[in-house]
Amino acid sequence: MKNVFINRCIAFEEYFRLILSIFIFILDIGFISATYYQYKGVNISKNNIKKEKKSISKIVFNLVLILLISYIESVAFSSHINGMFNTSFSFYTTAIAHRAGAEMAPENTLAAIEEASNAKADYAEIDVQETKDGELIVLHDSNFKRTTGVDKNVWDVNYNEVKTYDAGSFYYYGKGYYDEKFVGEKIPTLKEMIKYSKGKVKLLIEIKLNGHEKGDVVKKVVQLIKENNFENQCIVASMDKTILQK
């Protein structure tokens, strides 16, 4: 919320600078026009135009004003341009590795976390579900087939069986071809993922409920985060608003 507020304040400041620079530019044009007519000895009023003696002092005064206004206008405009293109000032960009880094390694695995860390990602997004026996594992789909070749649902399998699955031999997502170095990569538990990520990359933990949960998954996730002193290194997310309201 704090970052959102800061971003909005900065955006307002940038718009204000742009409007100010436009206003000063118009004012500058007015002074230049007035100085030109004074130099020509022409007095322009609402009703008539008449010749009069040139006033050197007025011309000099107007020239000084023009220079001063031009300087202010250039500062305001350049500040606006710098604000637009200096991303470190105007925007807070966060790099998040999808499914822990699925473009570079098997999704939602420790290998993917390693790749996300090497790529200097700010966060690695992971998906959390509960197995039949209540273990929290890191898995996106409700079925293991796409990532391991095993056609079983997550709520039908105990964790002891999940540990035998190979999540590396079916990796084609990022490179488009099989990579031997990932053979044997396991599906990690949330606890393993948190411990491995410490000091490497922050986690964006998405809780995925499938309707077959045996316990309070949200409570278990929060408990794991607290037990590992990971509160300041993660964000908990979900597509279900009721989960985030707990």
Side-chain angles (χ1 to χ4, degrees):
M1 182 63 71
K2 180 180 178 182
N3 282 348
V4 171
F5 175 75
I6 291 173
N7 279 334
R8 286 178 177 173
C9 287
I10 291 174
F12 174 79
E13 182 182 354
E14 294 304 320
Y15 284 123
F16 176 77
R17 284 179 178 174
L18 177 61
I19 293 171
L20 178 63
S21 64
I22 293 172
F23 173 76
I24 294 175
F25 176 75
I26 295 171
L27 191 64
D28 206 6
I29 293 297
F31 273 105
I32 291 173
S33 299
T35 303
Y36 171 78
Y37 284 116
Q38 283 183 355
Y39 175 75
K40 290 293 186 179
V42 177
N43 181 22
I44 300 177
S45 64
K46 289 184 178 179
N47 300 319
N48 57 19
I49 299 175
K50 61 182 180 179
K51 285 276 187 177
E52 64 177 19
K53 290 184 178 181
K54 296 179 182 179
S55 174
I56 301 300
S57 60
K58 284 185 178 181
I59 293 173
V60 172
F61 178 74
N62 282 352
L63 286 173
V64 172
L65 275 180
I66 290 170
L67 290 173
L68 179 61
I69 292 172
S70 297
Y71 173 75
I72 295 172
E73 193 275 336
S74 65
V75 170
F77 185 73
S78 63
S79 297
H80 168 70
I81 294 299
N82 288 337
M84 287 176 62
F85 294 102
N86 184 357
T87 54
S88 64
F89 174 76
S90 294
F91 304 100
Y92 297 89
T93 303
T94 301
I96 301 176
H98 186 230
R99 298 184 193 174
E103 188 70 27
M104 301 168 286
E107 66 182 60
N108 283 320
T109 63
L110 301 185
I113 288 292
E114 189 67 32
E115 295 294 338
S117 175
N118 292 338
K120 307 299 181 185
D122 297 301
Y123 285 86
E125 180 266 333
I126 62 173
D127 306 282
V128 176
Q129 297 191 66
E130 187 183 55
T131 61
K132 182 179 180 180
D133 56 348
E135 184 67 61
L136 296 180
I137 62 171
V138 182
L139 183 74
H140 178 270
D141 299 358
S142 59
N143 190 286
F144 294 98
K145 186 173 183 179
R146 181 177 63 84
T147 54
T148 69
V150 179
D151 189 9
K152 290 186 178 181
N153 295 321
V154 64
W155 56 83
D156 291 328
V157 183
N158 290 325
Y159 178 62
N160 281 336
E161 182 178 342
V162 175
K163 288 193 296 186
T164 66
Y165 296 168
D166 182 357
S169 295
F170 289 80
Y171 172 60
Y172 294 92
Y173 182 82
K175 298 180 179 179
Y177 59 86
Y178 169 77
D179 194 331
E180 286 187 358
K181 75 176 182 179
F182 295 125
V183 173
E185 191 70 31
K186 303 302 180 184
I187 296 174
T189 63
L190 176 59
K191 184 177 181 179
E192 290 173 336
M193 187 67 90
I194 288 175
K195 288 183 176 295
Y196 192 79
S197 300
K198 262 193 171 182
K200 294 178 180 288
V201 63
K202 295 179 180 180
L203 294 181
L204 174 58
I205 303 170
E206 181 177 346
I207 299 175
K208 301 179 78 70
L209 300 184
N210 50 51
H212 297 270
E213 290 76 22
K214 300 294 189 297
D216 190 336
V217 173
V218 178
K219 185 176 180 180
K220 290 165 72 173
V221 169
V222 172
Q223 184 178 346
L224 266 177
I225 291 171
K226 289 182 176 179
E227 286 177 355
N228 289 275
N229 299 314
F230 207 66
E231 295 96 323
N232 296 324
Q233 300 175 61
C234 69
I235 296 174
V236 176
S238 177
M239 298 296 287
D240 187 341
K241 184 173 67 174
T242 59
I243 291 176
L244 302 177
Q245 291 173 336
K246 290 188 176 183

